[in-house]
Amino acid sequence: MSQQRPAKGGSGLDVRAAAARSLVPVLTDKGSLASLDEHSVVARDRGLLKELCYGTCRWFYRLDGELNSRLKKPLRKPDRIIHHLMLVALFQLRFSQQANYAVLNETVEACRALDKPHLTGLVNGVLRAAEREGAQ
């Protein structure tokens, strides 16, 4: 039985990684948000998990278009979860009140938590450009 390790010092890492994981079946037409696993995060973060997942889905076409325009080429299939993670981050940059520096930092750390440390530079670069240039 595998358990998810808690994030160091806060909720940002686990909830973003959990949101990215939850969006994979939804965005590949193999699941729905009705089956959202809220127990993958601590109780105090369940509302944030819902907000991130539902908001990312609500604004998916806008966010996906913006993200795809910032990527030179699509991510490889094993790394698609990072695409979903960046969609969550773009949702927060565009539609939440959270400080941009916190969104960027916690998303890069969530990339590491998803065992994709080789993509942290890409995530950081894409999100910093998005922050700098604003919505297209």
Side-chain angles (χ1 to χ4, degrees), residues 3-17:
Q3 289 184 345
Q4 205 154 357
R5 64 177 193 245
K8 293 185 227 171
S11 62
L13 308 181
D14 278 350
V15 74
R16 282 172 183 75

Side-chain angles (χ1 to χ4, degrees), residues 60 64 67-68 71 75 79-88:
F60 172 75
D64 195 51
L67 180 57
N68 288 330
L71 294 172
L75 293 170
D79 297 329
R80 287 296 287 179
I81 194 163
I82 300 305
H83 185 90
H84 299 106
L85 180 65
M86 288 191 285
L87 289 173
V88 170

Side-chain angles (χ1 to χ4, degrees), residues 18-37 49-50 52-61 80-81 84 87-88:
R21 283 188 199 102
S22 298
L23 288 173
V24 170
V26 174
L27 298 178
T28 57
D29 294 329
K30 294 179 182 162
S32 74
L33 287 174
S35 61
L36 187 63
D37 180 17
L49 176 66
K50 280 184 173 181
L52 295 176
C53 291
Y54 280 86
T56 301
C57 287
R58 179 177 295 121
W59 294 101
F60 172 75
Y61 291 106
R80 287 296 287 179
I81 194 163
H84 299 106
L87 289 173
V88 170

